[in-house]
Amino acid sequence: MNAHSPLSAPPLVDPFGRTIAYVRVSVTDRCDYRCVYCMSEDMNFLPKRDVLSLEELDRLCAAFIGLGARKIRVTGGEPLVRRNVMSLFQGLKRHLASGVLDEVTLTTNGSQLARFASELAECGVRRINVSLDTLDPSKFRAVTRWGDFGVVMKGIDAAAAAGLKVKINTVALKGFNDSEARGLIDWAHGRGFDITFIEVMPLGAMERDRADQFLPLTELKRDLESRLTLAPSAYATGGPARYYDVKETGGRLGFITPLTHNFCESCNRVRVTCTGTLYMCLGQEDAADLREPLRRSESDEPLIAAIRAAIARKPKGHDFVIARAAAPAVQRHMSATGG
Ligand code: SAM
Ligand code: SF4
């Protein structure tokens, strides 16, 4: 048996005893939107030669799966704007079929879902996250800089019709959607979707001052609890959200709080950018280049060695701080690291 076959390879365990079972793979840094908290209006995108080909992304995913990864999330930028991205999902299907992989999921802005939802379902994708910060079409246009709310609604309809389980991700933005939180919850739960609020993170240089956008979820939760009954839920997806059952709607509500609550103890995931840079922690700069070992050899051995060496230095956690006029904790944009 090959020393690196999935059956014989020891799993990826970091220095703190956490088994790495979840890989988020960004397939592009490009996007058809420019959400104000994520990108600046005039982004410079990467030259094509720097971005891993779909075949290289497939090899990379296979290497992680061989090392014990059970879940892959495809993200970006906007993953569905990558040309021919469906071939990656078609390829990942073989790992689902053989049982070595539990799940392939997707995070999307929903703009291309009407076109791809049924094909995603055919490829074995069962759950997707759709980012949506408002139900007001003109506010939607403002926060995405030019997105069309109606197109996203059609995309979400197509996903639901294809049998995909939809979770809504909403970035909580002070003075923008705090007053809409209840409406978003009612809408999502009315359609049978979970909804998760995310604290805005200090990633990437941005025109606007982060402290002006930051809405602590402790504050949002307190406000919601004055009107709704939230019971802590045992539900967990392997992601960082903490869930509550909402008695009034019968739906599930999650909070992702990198700033007000540190969830690093249970971190089982790593991120790979579309250039093959492996980030062991979203909030730290330390990274490993996987593109060079991928391109250097047809054998996966250098790649596997690079992955193992990187996991051996996965940090204990991150330390985001939002202080007025503070420099961003990490200079890269979320769209580069993959959300
Ligand atoms: N384009 C896809 C989308 O919007 O779902 C996938 C990539 S996007 C970078 C992934 C997630 O990151 C989205 O839910 C987005 O709202 C979130 N995000 C982007 N910038 C963020 C920031 N600075 N703080 C918190 N969440 C952010
Ligand atoms: Fe694009 Fe997603 Fe970033 Fe918005 S959050 S600009 S949709 S990558």
Side-chain angles (χ1 to χ4, degrees):
M1 193 179 289
N2 178 318
H4 294 300
S5 92
L7 294 177
S8 65
L12 288 174
V13 180
D14 80 1
F16 304 95
R18 297 169 298 190
T19 300
I20 307 308
Y22 181 1
V23 184
R24 295 189 180 211
V25 182
S26 172
V27 298
T28 178
D29 64 327
R30 287 163 200 253
C31 187
D32 49 348
Y33 293 169
R34 297 285 183 281
C35 300
V36 293
Y37 49 77
C38 179
M39 293 193 185
S40 53
E41 194 161 2
D42 54 341
M43 291 290 286
N44 289 318
F45 293 113
L46 294 161
K48 289 231 163 56
R49 64 175 180 281
D50 288 352
V51 175
L52 297 185
S53 69
L54 290 165
E55 293 72 26
E56 287 169 333
L57 284 164
D58 182 82
R59 247 183 90 194
L60 186 89
C61 290
F64 273 103
I65 294 164
L67 292 169
R70 304 290 314 181
K71 176 170 168 178
I72 297 212
R73 177 173 295 281
V74 176
T75 182
E78 174 47 42
L80 298 184
V81 301
R82 170 112 195 220
R83 190 187 300 264
N84 204 19
V85 70
M86 282 301 137
S87 68
L88 181 66
F89 289 97
Q90 292 286 0
L92 289 172
K93 194 176 169 183
R94 71 188 185 276
H95 304 291
L96 292 169
S98 71
V100 290
L101 189 64
D102 293 332
E103 252 200 317
V104 176
T105 58
L106 166 75
T107 300
T108 177
N109 63 22
S111 68
Q112 312 297 318
L113 270 178
R115 184 168 158 213
F116 291 122
S118 50
E119 202 175 342
L120 285 165
E122 279 159 26
C123 291
V125 175
R126 298 281 165 262
R127 298 190 301 142
I128 61 169
N129 289 355
V130 182
S131 304
L132 184 70
D133 301 327
T134 175
L135 290 172
D136 176 325
S138 61
K139 280 168 77 179
F140 183 79
R141 187 172 292 279
V143 75
T144 58
R145 287 206 179 88
W146 51 68
D148 184 329
F149 180 76
V151 168
V152 173
M153 286 300 117
K154 285 204 182 87
I156 290 175
D157 290 345
L164 297 173
K165 197 166 165 8
V166 175
K167 190 187 82 165
I168 303 297
N169 276 347
T170 304
V171 174
L173 297 163
K174 195 177 194 161
F176 178 76
N177 61 8
D178 28 6
S179 59
E180 260 195 271
R182 176 67 199 266
L184 278 157
I185 293 169
D186 285 342
W187 171 81
H189 290 176
R191 296 212 50 180
F193 306 152
D194 290 351
I195 179 166
T196 294
F197 288 95
I198 307 172
E199 269 172 357
V200 70
M201 285 180 270
L203 301 172
M206 203 71 46
E207 304 91 74
R208 202 175 297 205
D209 191 328
R210 295 287 171 181
D212 291 341
Q213 298 178 327
F214 182 54
L215 171 63
L217 289 186
T218 41
E219 209 175 281
L220 181 71
K221 182 165 168 275
R222 206 178 313 120
D223 181 48
L224 288 170
E225 276 176 322
S226 67
R227 290 171 288 152
L228 293 170
T229 320
L230 308 186
S233 161
Y235 181 75
T237 57
R242 302 197 145 195
Y243 284 96
Y244 296 82
D245 294 315
V246 182
K247 195 170 153 220
E248 287 76 5
T249 61
R252 209 152 34 209
L253 169 64
F255 295 99
I256 299 184
T257 56
L259 298 165
T260 51
H261 175 261
N262 208 299
F263 49 59
C264 303
E265 322 73 67
S266 59
C267 180
N268 65 345
R269 58 201 160 270
V270 291
R271 293 175 159 79
V272 189
T273 69
C274 58
T275 57
T277 303
L278 172 65
Y279 283 98
M280 288 73 86
C281 172
L282 177 63
Q284 304 275 1
E285 296 284 3
D286 187 23
D289 176 26
L290 302 181
R291 187 179 59 195
E292 190 278 326
L294 244 176
R295 289 187 175 169
R296 185 194 338 149
S297 166
E298 278 181 21
S299 153
D300 285 340
E301 277 183 29
L303 174 64
I304 287 168
I307 295 173
R308 284 202 182 283
I311 299 303
R313 51 175 215 271
K314 180 169 159 70
K316 193 167 180 199
H318 62 65
D319 191 19
F320 285 134
V321 178
I322 290 230
R324 193 165 288 275
V330 171
Q331 290 296 335
R332 64 189 186 272
H333 289 265
M334 188 77 152
S335 54
T337 321

